[in-house]
Amino acid sequence: MNSAASAASAPALLPLRRRIPTLPISSSLFRRRPNNRSPSQDRRLGSSLSLERLRRSSAAELRRLADAADEAFSDLRKSYRVERGDLIVFSCRRSSLVFVGNLLLWSLAAVIAVRVLVWIGLGFRWRRWGFGEWAAVRRRDRSLGGREVVVGRRKSEGLKVSVNPLSPAKSSFAGNGKIAVEKRGRRREELPKWWPELSPSPSPSPAVDVQREELQREANRLVRAIMDNRMSGKDYRYDDMIQLRELCRLSGGKISFETANVRDSFYRAAIDFVLEICSRATQTTVKVQINGEDVRTFISALADNIGLPSFRAATLIRAAVAARTRASFLQSWALEAQGKRSEALAELLKIGVIHQIFPPEEQSPEMEMVASGIKKNLQADQRKHLLTLYRGVCGAANCTTVAEALDLRS
């Protein structure tokens, strides 16, 4: 009974559950972890991601392009067929034609872009390494009467590139160079002092008008004959020059050649003819004439008859005189070295006669060109010996310009 009462009084036992302690969950676990990277690292990471995306897209585009090219090539290979023996049928998909057209267009654009980039790159390289500050190198052309021509470009460093190899270097100040160029330009526009004044042709009277027209037609026929001979490979004849000048003098008219080059070539031949006539004189004081006219009047009037400007004609005469001077000096020394004194003096006499009739100006570019050529072939003592011989045969006339031609200026 005691056991039953105790059992009745005892509380009912429930199954025990193990309680798990609940820990507080902090919201910090769900927060973003702090970023310890610097802004530069973020930029590099973003750049690498961008490059990766660009690489993947480029690779995908190249694969797509390769597939399109393969498909178009396969389609074009099967695009034609022969039917009924001689009928060729061409058929292809529109995408193939579009691919070919785009390929040609983009190829052309790529070529143009490459050329532009190369041009820009070369220009940048010239400027970066000093190639951009190049100055024009000018030299005087003896065949053009000492006219300055550009023969190349050279880098200018502080000093202006000399326009003449014999002249001293000038300052890079632009004003001095401009003044020097203007002075040279004015000198080229001035006629030499020996250039004669040509009297204007009188107006024809009615009585001789018909005769002058006939002389003009004869002069035109002579010019055509001269041109025909020249086209056939024949040289200009001195008789034709004399006859042409006579016809133009009597008719008071002018003639014209087909081109300016032919006109200048004819006038150069006339200058050589005149200088050859002058070289035959035995004394420097002899008055040389051609067909009753003074040689100066003949050659200057002939330039007016053929329509050659006086400045251009004077330039050609200066150049021819300089060439004759150089050739005669070298020939004279060659004869002197061979012991042929008389023939050497005859060559020097030719120079004296030519300089007496067509005297060069002092400090002229033509004589500087002669001096630069002779100095390369003759020593200083040899040039002094030639000057002594020249004074003995020609006297003191034009010794200043002759000394300049021999580069013996005091």
Side-chain angles (χ1 to χ4, degrees), residues 349-368:
L349 180 61
K350 294 179 182 180
I351 299 175
V353 174
I354 292 175
H355 282 215
Q356 184 68 26
I357 299 174
F358 304 105
E361 297 90 344
E362 294 184 4
Q363 298 181 356
S364 63
E366 293 82 11
M367 293 300 103
E368 289 183 3

Side-chain angles (χ1 to χ4, degrees), residues 227 236 255-268 303 306-309 312 316:
M227 292 299 303
Y236 298 110
I255 53 94
S256 61
F257 289 89
E258 294 180 356
T259 62
N261 291 333
V262 176
R263 178 198 62 191
D264 294 353
S265 176
F266 176 81
Y267 194 71
R268 288 191 184 95
I306 64 177
L308 183 64
R312 174 64 175 164
L316 295 178

Side-chain angles (χ1 to χ4, degrees), residues 4-36:
S6 62
S9 62
L13 296 178
L14 298 175
L16 297 178
R17 291 184 179 178
R18 189 175 181 181
R19 298 181 62 184
I20 300 175
T22 59
L23 298 176
I25 299 176
S26 176
S27 61
S28 62
L29 295 175
F30 297 96
R31 293 178 184 174
R32 188 175 182 181
R33 293 185 178 179
N35 188 3
N36 296 326

Side-chain angles (χ1 to χ4, degrees), residues 82-107:
V82 180
E83 294 182 356
R84 300 177 184 177
D86 57 351
L87 180 62
I88 299 177
V89 179
F90 180 83
S91 63
C92 65
R93 290 194 300 267
R94 182 178 179 181
S95 60
S96 301
L97 295 179
V98 172
F99 176 81
V100 174
N102 290 336
L103 180 62
L104 295 177
L105 181 62
W106 285 108
S107 300

Side-chain angles (χ1 to χ4, degrees), residues 309-323:
S310 300
F311 304 128
R312 174 64 175 164
T315 300
L316 295 178
I317 294 174
R318 289 188 181 110
V321 170

